[in-house]
Amino acid sequence: MKPPHNKQPLMNPISSSSPKTPTKSPDSSSSLLTRSFSNSLNSVIFHHSLRRTWLLVLVLSLQIILFITIKTFPLSLSPSPRRRHDFPSPLPRHHHNHSPKLQPDQCESGRVYVYELPPSLNHELIKNCDQLNPWSSRCDALVNDGFGPPATGISRILPENIAPAWYWTDQFVSEIIFHNRIINHKCRTDDPALATGFYVPFYAGLAVGKYLWRNYSSIDRDRHCRMLLDWIHDKPAFRNSNGWNHFMTMGRISWDFRRSKDQDWGSSCIYLPGMRNITRLLIEKNPWDYFDVGIPYPTGFHPRSDSDILSWQEFVRTKSRTKLFCFAGAQRGKIKDDFRGLLLSHCRNESDACREVNCAGSRCSNGTTEILESFLDSDFCLQPRGDSFTRRSIFDCMIAGSIPVFFWHRTAYYQYEWFLPREAESYSVYIDRNAVKNGTSIRSVLEKYSKEDVRKMREKVIESIPKFVYAKPKEGLESIKDAFDIALDGVLKRFKEQEGWFKWR
């Protein structure tokens, strides 16, 4: 910065005597010119020296600042390796850690910006809950911030102190649960410049639900998703990243949003321009799509505090179990060689060791405790694929402390990597379905596990219960991380890891 350059006025000497009329001598004009030139030259030299002094001070100051910065933040010249497909599950906070919520490192994964969407893409869908299903109203299922009605009567089979944490929760409400949690999250920011990730609270599953059946057109099924993409397309953060740091919850399975032909099932939302790079949280993902992330199905248990978690874990750990295994499901008569029908028959034939719950009709709908009772009473629970590769029963089973038995790898192992233990055999049993079809006895396989084996596997399941549940408080639990926390941490860490990648447009 140049110093101020104020010109000094050139003045004649002032005599102390009273003024007199000057007398002109031959040398007076020459003397005055000489003095003026001398004063001007001195002024130029002075200000030139001053500018050089300020410049020298500025250069020395910049060198000192640069030296301090390098000493404080050491730089590495070798780039850190980036792995695209290995994203370990964030570790849960220990339940004895009672650090204040607003510690600086609480947002070490980053901060999240939440868009304020047009109400027609979320809030109005809930207001019109009686129009979301072609057969009946869904209003009861969406009360209590998506948790559904309280599970009245469940205290008959559960400890009284934990029963109030149970609700009759619908399996397709994760969009509402995530939205309510994220707008109250301690790491939410209103400044897009500070955000690591951008959350899009679009209720895609609720929007498409009513159009999946009957004679609705492909235009009907895609309408809300197109509305969203038209709205978000010109938003600066989306335009700058082309969606790479954006994420959303889609409350159904991935295949409900992957229609490739107009006459096929579902919406084509995931295939629409603009959706390609958005990370999608789904209760069942496409294992071969990087941008799909599998999250646990919502279950009925929504702990109110760390204490609820610890009390529930102790309850299922010490629960007396009278059956070796159980199966809850309904036969699909129209499906040739229906595997669930085979399991029902197998369980019925081993009734002294297996507890069967035939879910034909509405026997297993929300509002009944029969499934939970069977899981609490059994060491193992059979988990075939559902109408798709996954089913909510997987998480109902494990929350009850029962050990899951899988027959397809895609039912769990390829779905929920952030939430399940890494070693599949540490918490579950896998039996090839074709072996069962060819006569292998499930009972014989399970009886080979010793009591100590069962105890260790059950303990691994119980340790993981916090990762399967969605807590009741909108700000989360005191210190234990639930499924929402793990999902959010995982997404933000993923965004940070991919910062140096090549990103297609």
Side-chain angles (χ1 to χ4, degrees):
M1 178 177 177
K2 292 184 178 180
H5 192 77
N6 298 324
K7 285 190 174 182
Q8 301 288 334
L10 299 178
M11 302 179 65
N12 291 327
I14 300 177
S15 172
S16 58
S17 59
S18 59
K20 296 181 180 179
T21 304
T23 58
K24 188 174 182 180
S25 68
D27 297 328
S28 62
S29 297
S30 173
S31 176
L32 179 61
L33 180 64
T34 302
R35 286 197 304 271
S36 299
F37 176 80
S38 175
N39 287 340
S40 298
L41 180 62
N42 289 337
S43 177
V44 170
I45 293 172
F46 169 78
H47 287 291
H48 181 68
S49 300
L50 190 60
R51 274 205 307 270
R52 290 182 61 186
T53 302
W54 273 104
L55 182 61
L56 181 60
V57 170
L58 179 62
V59 171
L60 289 174
S61 299
L62 289 174
Q63 289 178 336
I64 292 171
I65 293 171
L66 181 61
F67 176 78
I68 294 173
T69 302
I70 293 174
K71 292 290 286 182
T72 307
F73 302 102
L75 303 175
S76 173
L77 299 178
S78 58
S80 58
R82 297 185 182 275
R83 294 177 294 172
R84 175 162 182 157
H85 297 293
D86 184 16
F87 300 101
S89 171
L91 295 176
R93 290 172 282 176
H94 195 278
H95 61 261
H96 293 305
N97 175 15
H98 296 291
S99 301
K101 283 278 188 179
L102 296 179
Q103 288 285 331
D105 62 351
Q106 291 288 302
C107 297
E108 60 183 2
S109 297
R111 296 186 178 273
V112 61
Y113 179 86
V114 183
Y115 283 107
E116 187 73 27
L117 298 186
S120 59
L121 298 176
N122 44 41
H123 296 301
E124 286 183 6
L125 292 169
I126 296 179
K127 288 182 180 179
N128 298 319
C129 53
D130 56 340
Q131 301 175 18
L132 296 177
N133 189 310
W135 300 287
S136 61
S137 171
R138 294 201 64 202
C139 295
D140 284 348
L142 305 184
V143 299
N144 292 320
D145 297 325
F147 293 127
T152 54
I154 205 167
S155 58
R156 178 178 60 84
I157 63 170
L158 302 181
E160 288 187 3
N161 64 315
I162 307 176
W166 279 81
Y167 294 78
W168 301 127
T169 303
D170 188 88
Q171 63 180 340
F172 296 132
V173 293
S174 56
E175 297 157 341
I176 303 173
I177 293 173
F178 269 75
H179 191 189
N180 284 323
R181 284 289 298 277
I182 207 163
I183 61 176
N184 291 282
H185 199 270
K186 59 183 178 292
C187 296
R188 178 188 176 188
T189 178
D190 291 329
D191 184 354
L194 299 177
T196 301
F198 294 79
Y199 186 71
V200 184
F202 170 41
Y203 296 172
L206 294 183
V208 77
K210 68 177 289 185
Y211 301 110
L212 292 175
W213 293 272
R214 299 187 177 174
N215 295 321
Y216 287 105
S217 68
S218 59
I219 296 174
D220 292 326
R221 286 175 274 163
D222 294 344
R223 180 178 294 111
H224 287 86
C225 192
R226 289 187 184 278
M227 288 168 58
L228 167 74
L229 294 173
D230 288 344
W231 181 88
I232 204 171
H233 181 265
D234 291 327
K235 296 297 178 285
F238 186 84
R239 190 173 60 248
N240 292 340
S241 69
N242 205 36
W244 276 83
N245 58 3
H246 285 55
F247 66 112
M248 62 191 296
T249 309
M250 305 180 81
R252 302 183 68 92
I253 64 174
S254 187
W255 317 107
D256 288 342
F257 306 101
R258 291 181 176 273
R259 190 192 72 246
S260 55
K261 299 178 182 177
D262 283 351
Q263 65 271 23
D264 289 346
W265 170 268
S267 160
S268 64
C269 187
I270 288 177
Y271 294 142
L272 293 178
M275 279 293 294
R276 180 182 185 183
N277 303 329
I278 297 177
T279 294
R280 306 171 288 268
L281 306 177
L282 300 130
I283 51 179
E284 178 177 323
K285 71 176 184 178
N286 175 356
W288 295 278
D289 187 334
Y290 167 77
F291 295 95
D292 275 12
V293 174
I295 60 172
Y297 279 78
T299 66
F301 182 41
H302 303 289
R304 302 156 296 177
S305 62
D306 287 3
S307 177
D308 276 356
I309 288 280
L310 301 177
S311 297
W312 179 258
Q313 288 175 312
E314 186 61 20
F315 169 66
V316 297
R317 181 181 290 116
T318 58
K319 180 73 172 63
S320 176
R321 299 172 190 263
T322 66
K323 297 292 184 181
L324 178 64
F325 63 109
C326 68
F327 176 60
Q331 185 174 356
R332 295 294 188 267
K334 295 182 180 180
I335 299 178
K336 185 179 179 181
D337 299 324
D338 176 47
F339 191 69
R340 285 188 283 189
L342 179 62
L343 293 182
L344 283 169
S345 176
H346 190 96
C347 190
R348 197 174 299 120
N349 293 336
E350 302 284 0
S351 58
D352 60 321
C354 182
R355 179 165 177 166
E356 170 206 359
V357 181
N358 190 331
C359 290
S362 60
R363 187 178 177 187
C364 297
S365 61
N366 279 342
T368 177
T369 62
E370 192 166 0
I371 293 179
L372 179 58
E373 288 182 81
S374 67
F375 292 151
L376 288 170
D377 192 42
S378 306
D379 286 330
F380 298 91
C381 57
L382 306 185
Q383 295 298 330
R385 58 172 290 173
D387 293 328
S388 60
F389 279 98
T390 64
R391 60 202 304 246
R392 166 177 159 163
S393 179
I394 299 167
F395 296 100
D396 291 331
C397 153
M398 289 192 285
I399 284 176
S402 191
I403 301 163
V405 179
F406 298 120
F407 305 91
W408 278 263
H409 287 100
R410 285 178 64 180
T411 301
Y413 303 147
Y414 298 166
Q415 286 290 335
Y416 309 106
E417 295 95 326
W418 290 358
F419 305 89
L420 296 175
R422 288 183 176 274
E423 298 78 24
E425 66 278 4
S426 70
Y427 73 95
S428 68
V429 175
Y430 177 78
I431 304 176
D432 187 270
R433 59 191 176 279
N434 292 316
V436 176
K437 291 178 181 179
N438 291 328
T440 294
S441 168
I442 296 174
R443 177 177 184 170
S444 297
V445 172
L446 299 180
E447 285 180 336
K448 291 179 180 178
Y449 289 89
S450 68
K451 288 185 177 181
E452 180 61 15
D453 293 334
V454 171
R455 186 195 67 78
K456 288 180 179 179
M457 294 170 75
R458 174 173 295 117
E459 190 58 36
K460 198 70 175 178
V461 169
I462 293 172
E463 285 177 8
S464 302
I465 287 176
K467 300 179 182 181
F468 305 152
V469 300
Y470 297 98
K472 184 65 170 68
K474 291 182 178 180
E475 66 277 7
L477 301 175
E478 296 94 331
S479 59
I480 297 176
K481 289 196 173 186
D482 69 348
F484 169 85
D485 293 317
I486 291 174
L488 180 60
D489 283 353
V491 168
L492 294 179
K493 287 182 179 180
R494 169 184 279 206
F495 288 163
K496 284 192 171 183
E497 288 192 25
Q498 70 190 24
E499 283 176 357
W501 295 359
F502 165 76
K503 299 181 179 69
W504 54 75
R505 302 298 293 176

